[in-house]
Protein backbone atom coordinates (compact mmCIF):
# COMPACT_ATOMS: atom_id res chain seq x y z
CA UNK A 1 0.00 0.00 0.00
CA UNK A 2 1.41 3.41 -0.93
CA UNK A 3 0.19 5.01 2.31
CA UNK A 4 2.16 2.46 4.34
CA UNK A 5 5.22 3.04 2.17
CA UNK A 6 4.98 6.80 2.70
CA UNK A 7 4.62 6.39 6.44
CA UNK A 8 7.63 4.06 6.45
CA UNK A 9 9.67 6.59 4.43
CA UNK A 10 8.77 9.41 6.83
CA UNK A 11 9.54 7.28 9.88
CA UNK A 12 12.89 6.17 8.41
CA UNK A 13 13.86 9.83 8.04
CA UNK A 14 12.90 10.83 11.60
CA UNK A 15 9.62 12.48 10.64
CA UNK A 16 6.40 11.29 12.26
CA UNK A 17 3.65 10.26 9.80
CA UNK A 18 1.38 12.99 11.21
CA UNK A 19 3.96 15.73 10.52
CA UNK A 20 2.73 18.88 8.76
CA UNK A 21 2.40 18.54 4.99
CA UNK A 22 5.01 21.28 4.49
CA UNK A 23 7.64 19.18 6.30
CA UNK A 24 6.63 16.12 4.29
CA UNK A 25 7.00 18.04 1.01
CA UNK A 26 10.34 19.45 2.15
CA UNK A 27 11.67 15.99 2.94
CA UNK A 28 10.44 14.59 -0.37
CA UNK A 29 11.90 17.53 -2.30
CA UNK A 30 15.23 17.06 -0.51
CA UNK A 31 15.14 13.37 -1.38
CA UNK A 32 14.43 14.02 -5.09
CA UNK A 33 17.06 16.77 -5.44
CA UNK A 34 19.65 14.57 -3.73
CA UNK A 35 18.94 11.78 -6.19
CA UNK A 36 18.69 13.97 -9.33
CA UNK A 37 21.93 15.81 -8.61
CA UNK A 38 23.59 12.39 -8.08
CA UNK A 39 24.99 13.54 -4.73
CA UNK A 40 23.68 10.52 -2.88
CA UNK A 41 23.00 10.17 0.82
CA UNK A 42 26.28 8.68 2.05
CA UNK A 43 27.07 8.41 5.73
CA UNK A 44 26.09 11.98 6.55
CA UNK A 45 22.83 13.58 5.45
CA UNK A 46 20.59 16.44 6.51
CA UNK A 47 18.48 15.63 9.56
CA UNK A 48 16.27 18.69 10.02
CA UNK A 49 14.46 21.22 7.85
CA UNK A 50 17.16 23.89 8.01
CA UNK A 51 19.87 21.46 6.96
CA UNK A 52 17.67 20.11 4.16
CA UNK A 53 17.04 23.59 2.76
CA UNK A 54 20.73 24.50 2.98
CA UNK A 55 21.73 21.24 1.26
CA UNK A 56 19.14 21.73 -1.49
CA UNK A 57 20.42 25.24 -2.19
CA UNK A 58 24.02 24.01 -2.27
CA UNK A 59 23.20 21.02 -4.49
CA UNK A 60 21.27 23.14 -6.99
CA UNK A 61 23.99 25.81 -6.96
CA UNK A 62 26.60 23.13 -7.57
CA UNK A 63 24.59 21.71 -10.48
CA UNK A 64 24.30 25.18 -12.03
CA UNK A 65 28.02 25.89 -11.59
CA UNK A 66 28.90 22.52 -13.09
CA UNK A 67 26.60 23.17 -16.05
CA UNK A 68 28.15 26.59 -16.58
CA UNK A 69 31.66 25.13 -16.47
CA UNK A 70 30.72 22.47 -19.01
CA UNK A 71 29.25 25.15 -21.25
CA UNK A 72 32.45 27.19 -21.06
CA UNK A 73 34.59 24.15 -21.88
CA UNK A 74 32.35 23.35 -24.85
CA UNK A 75 32.61 26.96 -26.09
CA UNK A 76 36.40 26.80 -25.81
CA UNK A 77 36.58 23.54 -27.74
CA UNK A 78 34.26 24.93 -30.42
CA UNK A 79 36.44 28.03 -30.73
CA UNK A 80 39.59 25.90 -31.06
CA UNK A 81 37.95 23.76 -33.75
CA UNK A 82 36.95 26.90 -35.62
CA UNK A 83 40.55 28.20 -35.48
CA UNK A 84 41.95 24.87 -36.69
CA UNK A 85 39.52 24.79 -39.64
CA UNK A 86 40.46 28.31 -40.68
CA UNK A 87 44.16 27.43 -40.95
Amino acid sequence: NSQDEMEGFLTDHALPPDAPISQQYLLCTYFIITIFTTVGFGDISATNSYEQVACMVLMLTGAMVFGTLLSEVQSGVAELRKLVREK
Side-chain angles (χ1 to χ4, degrees):
N1 177 332
S2 63
Q3 183 65 30
D4 293 337
E5 291 172 354
M6 184 63 176
E7 288 178 7
F9 174 77
L10 293 173
T11 304
D12 289 345
H13 291 87
L15 199 62
D18 60 344
I21 195 75
S22 61
Q23 286 185 331
Q24 292 179 22
Y25 273 110
L26 182 66
L27 175 62
C28 292
T29 303
Y30 168 73
F31 180 78
I32 294 299
I33 289 175
T34 303
I35 290 174
F36 283 172
T37 57
T38 66
V39 170
F41 292 96
D43 295 332
I44 301 171
S45 61
T47 56
N48 61 45
S49 298
Y50 298 112
E51 291 174 356
Q52 290 170 350
V53 170
C55 286
M56 286 189 290
V57 168
L58 290 172
M59 285 185 281
L60 292 174
T61 301
M64 288 186 284
V65 168
F66 183 71
T68 302
L69 289 174
L70 283 180
S71 173
E72 291 298 319
V73 168
Q74 187 275 334
S75 295
V77 169
E79 189 65 31
L80 284 174
R81 284 184 177 177
K82 183 179 174 183
L83 289 173
V84 167
R85 283 188 208 143
E86 290 175 357
K87 288 185 178 185

